[in-house]
Amino acid sequence: MSTQTNTSRLAVMNFLNEVAGDFPDAISLASGRPAEAFFDLERWLDSIPQYQREFASRRDLSYADAGRLLAQYGRTNGIVNELIAEQLALDEGVHGRSEHIVVSAGCQEALALCMLSLCQDKNDVVIARDPTYIGMTGVADLHGIEIVPLHSKDDSQLAAELEEVAEKLRHQGKRARALYLIPEFDNPTGTVLSLEAREALLSVCAGQRIAVLEDNPYGMFRYEGERLPTLYALDRAGCVIYLFTYSKTLCPAVRVGGALVPDTLFGSAEAARTLVANLGERKSFLTVNTSQLNQALIGGMLLAQQGTLRELIAPQLEHYRRNRDLLLAALEKEFADQRDAVHWNRPEGGFFLTMKLPFSFGQAEVLRCAREQHVIPMPLSFFSLSGTCQDSIRLAFSNVEPSLIGEGVARLGQFVRQCQEVCDAAV
Ligand SMILES: Cc1ncc(COP(=O)(O)O)c(C=O)c1O
């Protein structure tokens, strides 16, 4: 395995998989996967016939013919769009048109389709907070799309920074085409974008005609505090494209997610319809259509749950909340005497928190931490757009055994103390 310290963004996921593979007994606080304990394949597969019956009755087909049609190639933009529109409205307060939904192979495909549709010229640029989700930077890197970072840690500065960045880009002959945001329990930071920042950013985007890609895989997993309206719900100008997924509420293997385009794009219904058509056109040559069997599973579950997934995810939510609390309690205990040097945030939901350490924690440190202490955290610098966050790590608490959280943090504490002793000795 390579031990270089400058990991290219595209190599990061590979590196982490290798570390996890090389140290199978290590406790992983790196993987942000949903908890497998709640995967209920038999029940989900059993829901497919319910959708098949609905599909048959809507199209005036026999049950058997409906099954044959579901097993065929299908409509590029999806077949469960109405059920998805209903669920987004009920669960997330996102009211959109089902015809403006493009169902995709997870949210990842929707993200790629949107970025490619919005950034067609070499001078078209995407703006994102630094650090940000690797899946977005990966799409941009693969397709040669430039990403310009917003550095403000303080929400209240973001809109002014965005305005400044857009202006600077204009002077360079470039165009800020999209702003990528994860407003709810951000991956990697675990933070929530304030209501004021949401409104201020929307106002800049409306004025500058910058589309917002609102990625919201964790919004359903709020453990405490008041839910904020999505950017999509706050948008009056028609600039927000809402990205959704069933990877966390159901499971990643179903590979169903998508994009919801606003009724009008910057005031134009025609432009919104054109974007939907453009996304579909690209999709038809990328994945043809999203598996209809997988869509039937989602459709069946949505029918069985009367349109809302809130009740279904309640046990998961409780598990994640408990894991978060266990992690916070373990951190309090382990780092009690280092509170002035080690800092972390308390996420109100989602799968992650971040920790700031008094030294650099990069690829070499992950390897040492895995080898010597058998625990794997994720360097935050892996998510950075500009080489920042060298002294921070992301801790994921979603898919770690509750009984291992205390031990994992104790081992991390041990590693941090070792590193600090080395730093202190060097001073
Ligand atoms: C912020 C964010 N967006 C998108 C995705 C990808 O989701 P999907 O499985 O729907 O492709 C993830 C997965 O972890 C994520 O954290």
Side-chain angles (χ1 to χ4, degrees):
M1 186 190 330
S2 150
T3 52
Q4 70 196 34
T5 43
N6 279 334
T7 322
S8 92
R9 291 198 295 241
L10 285 172
V12 158
M13 293 317 292
N14 202 20
F15 167 74
L16 277 169
N17 287 337
E18 280 188 44
V19 176
D22 287 354
F23 302 99
D25 298 331
I27 298 171
S28 177
L29 297 171
S31 153
R33 293 177 169 191
E36 278 140 41
F38 300 92
F39 294 171
D40 192 349
L41 203 54
E42 251 168 70
R43 177 182 180 195
W44 298 341
L45 290 172
D46 278 350
S47 74
I48 292 180
Q50 188 164 353
Y51 182 75
Q52 190 174 332
R53 277 192 293 278
E54 164 85 9
F55 190 76
S57 105
R58 278 187 182 214
R59 295 181 189 217
D60 208 14
L61 294 169
S62 71
Y63 180 75
D65 281 346
R68 281 187 270 275
L69 212 54
L70 284 175
Q72 218 7 311
Y73 289 113
R75 181 176 178 265
T76 301
N77 285 5
I79 54 172
V80 291
N81 308 42
E82 281 176 27
L83 290 167
I84 289 176
E86 184 187 11
Q87 188 257 323
L88 294 180
L90 284 173
D91 287 342
E92 301 180 34
V94 166
H95 298 269
R97 290 167 189 245
S98 58
E99 324 85 83
H100 281 209
I101 287 177
V102 178
V103 181
S104 58
C107 157
Q108 185 65 29
E109 188 193 6
L111 186 54
L113 293 171
C114 289
M115 284 174 57
L116 291 170
S117 289
L118 292 168
C119 300
Q120 297 191 21
D121 187 276
K122 66 174 180 9
N123 290 317
D124 291 343
V125 167
V126 173
I127 299 178
R129 296 190 78 171
D130 189 14
T132 195
Y133 172 56
I134 288 171
M136 192 287 279
T137 49
V139 169
D141 289 347
L142 274 178
H143 294 95
I145 298 170
E146 184 183 352
I147 315 169
V148 176
L150 294 181
H151 296 290
S152 303
K153 297 284 166 267
D154 179 356
D155 276 13
S156 66
Q157 308 290 317
L158 273 174
E161 190 184 355
L162 174 64
E163 190 128 44
E164 213 174 282
V165 164
E167 183 64 33
K168 221 180 262 172
L169 286 168
R170 233 191 331 275
H171 278 120
Q172 296 167 1
K174 297 177 180 175
R175 272 198 315 177
R177 293 286 305 185
L179 169 66
Y180 173 74
L181 287 170
I182 311 161
E184 300 288 293
F185 319 119
D186 176 44
N187 181 5
T189 62
T191 55
V192 170
L193 192 66
S194 72
L195 182 59
E196 295 71 26
R198 290 176 197 223
E199 282 168 342
L201 284 167
L202 281 174
S203 162
V204 175
C205 288
Q208 308 262 357
R209 294 179 76 86
I210 303 171
V212 179
L213 295 175
E214 179 176 26
D215 190 1
N216 192 14
Y218 306 103
M220 294 274 282
F221 299 98
R222 174 176 277 283
Y223 316 129
E224 62 196 30
E226 208 179 312
R227 190 170 101 190
L228 294 178
T230 59
L231 289 161
Y232 186 94
L234 292 168
D235 180 23
R236 299 281 165 269
C239 42
V240 181
I241 300 166
Y242 189 76
L243 304 173
F244 58 89
T245 179
Y246 293 95
S247 287
K248 317 293 166 177
T249 42
L250 235 58
C251 69
V254 77
R255 305 310 302 137
V256 175
L260 167 63
V261 172
D263 293 0
T264 63
L265 196 60
F266 300 111
S268 164
E270 179 59 29
R273 279 193 298 272
T274 304
L275 178 61
V276 175
N278 199 297
L279 296 174
E281 225 165 75
R282 278 174 198 279
K283 180 174 170 59
S284 68
F285 292 109
L286 202 64
T287 53
V288 183
N289 62 265
T290 305
S291 158
Q292 298 201 113
L293 296 179
N294 296 14
Q295 290 188 71
L297 188 155
I298 295 293
M301 285 305 294
L302 290 176
L303 287 168
Q305 299 295 311
Q306 276 88 43
T308 163
L309 296 178
R310 289 260 167 220
E311 205 177 302
L312 187 81
I313 67 158
Q316 276 156 266
L317 193 75
E318 212 30 60
H319 164 85
Y320 295 136
R321 184 206 318 265
R322 183 162 159 249
N323 271 12
R324 184 223 34 191
D325 290 345
L326 286 169
L327 179 59
L328 289 171
L331 291 171
E332 285 287 344
K333 184 169 158 232
E334 188 59 36
F335 295 99
D337 56 347
Q338 290 165 278
R339 287 313 304 259
D340 50 343
V342 178
H343 307 275
W344 60 88
N345 60 327
R346 177 193 167 85
E348 292 186 336
F351 289 13
F352 316 103
L353 63 76
T354 48
M355 267 184 102
K356 201 166 157 47
L357 303 169
F359 51 85
S360 274
F361 197 112
Q363 190 163 316
E365 287 73 18
V366 184
L367 278 173
R368 266 185 46 222
C369 195
R371 188 183 308 119
E372 294 168 17
Q373 297 296 338
H374 304 283
V375 62
I376 311 176
M378 177 86 123
L380 202 61
S381 57
F382 283 9
F383 298 89
S384 177
L385 298 169
S386 54
T388 54
C389 315
Q390 295 291 337
D391 59 354
S392 298
I393 52 177
R394 185 193 77 175
L395 300 182
F397 50 84
S398 52
N399 193 29
V400 55
E401 270 296 309
S403 61
L404 295 178
I405 291 176
E407 180 58 29
V409 171
R411 293 179 190 183
L412 179 64
Q414 190 70 18
F415 185 76
V416 168
R417 272 187 291 280
Q418 266 173 23
C419 291
Q420 240 188 316
E421 275 164 24
V422 173
C423 290
D424 292 347
V427 172

